[in-house]
Amino acid sequence: MEDKFTLYNLKVEVVATDQPMVCGHKEGDYFLVIGEDLIFPETNSFSMYALSAILPLLPAKQRPLHANDWMLSDSLIACPDPNCGARFRITRTGTKEFSHAECTIEPIHKGDQP
């Protein structure tokens, strides 16, 4: 049985707005998401509070979505500090294929079968 699936690779980048950034974010700082891995370039850092706002969205952004799904169109995430003007842009940068068997020991189930 074929067990391959494809996920989008993502880039999450700090974007400036007309409001000041007060959380130490720097425009252009970024990290990558490839599979389940977050990859931070050596010169970039990210606030754990900003990450807490971004992390729940990443698995959905990695997957194919219906053309009308808001997760496809909404790509700017606000910093959770209401006084900070930073935004975080999530961009799909390519795809990577994975094997179900290499990601889990659970067998593949089809539909609603247990």
Side-chain angles (χ1 to χ4, degrees):
M1 174 188 299
E2 180 67 35
D3 80 336
K4 303 293 184 200
F5 64 99
T6 302
L7 295 177
Y8 287 97
N9 300 325
L10 305 174
K11 181 178 183 180
V12 180
E13 182 176 12
V14 177
V15 178
T17 65
D18 58 350
Q19 297 175 318
M21 291 190 273
V22 298
C23 293
H25 309 296
K26 291 184 243 116
E27 184 174 15
D29 278 356
Y30 70 94
F31 65 90
L32 304 174
V33 182
I34 300 177
E36 64 183 40
D37 296 327
L38 303 180
I39 301 165
F40 295 88
E42 289 184 30
T43 58
N44 290 280
S45 64
F46 258 78
S47 156
M48 69 177 172
Y49 303 109
L51 278 174
S52 72
I54 298 166
L55 286 175
L57 306 173
L58 298 179
K61 293 297 247 181
Q62 286 184 295
R63 286 158 170 76
L65 300 168
H66 187 280
N68 297 332
D69 192 328
W70 67 270
M71 277 297 253
L72 192 58
S73 61
D74 293 22
S75 295
L76 281 179
I77 311 307
C79 178
D81 182 334
N83 298 307
C84 184
R87 300 293 181 266
F88 308 99
R89 178 182 299 123
I90 302 173
T91 306
R92 290 176 166 176
T93 61
T95 59
K96 183 174 179 182
E97 190 173 78
F98 296 89
S99 162
H100 180 273
E102 292 174 0
C103 295
T104 181
I105 62 169
E106 291 292 326
I108 294 176
H109 295 295
K110 299 294 180 190
D112 293 331
Q113 297 175 358

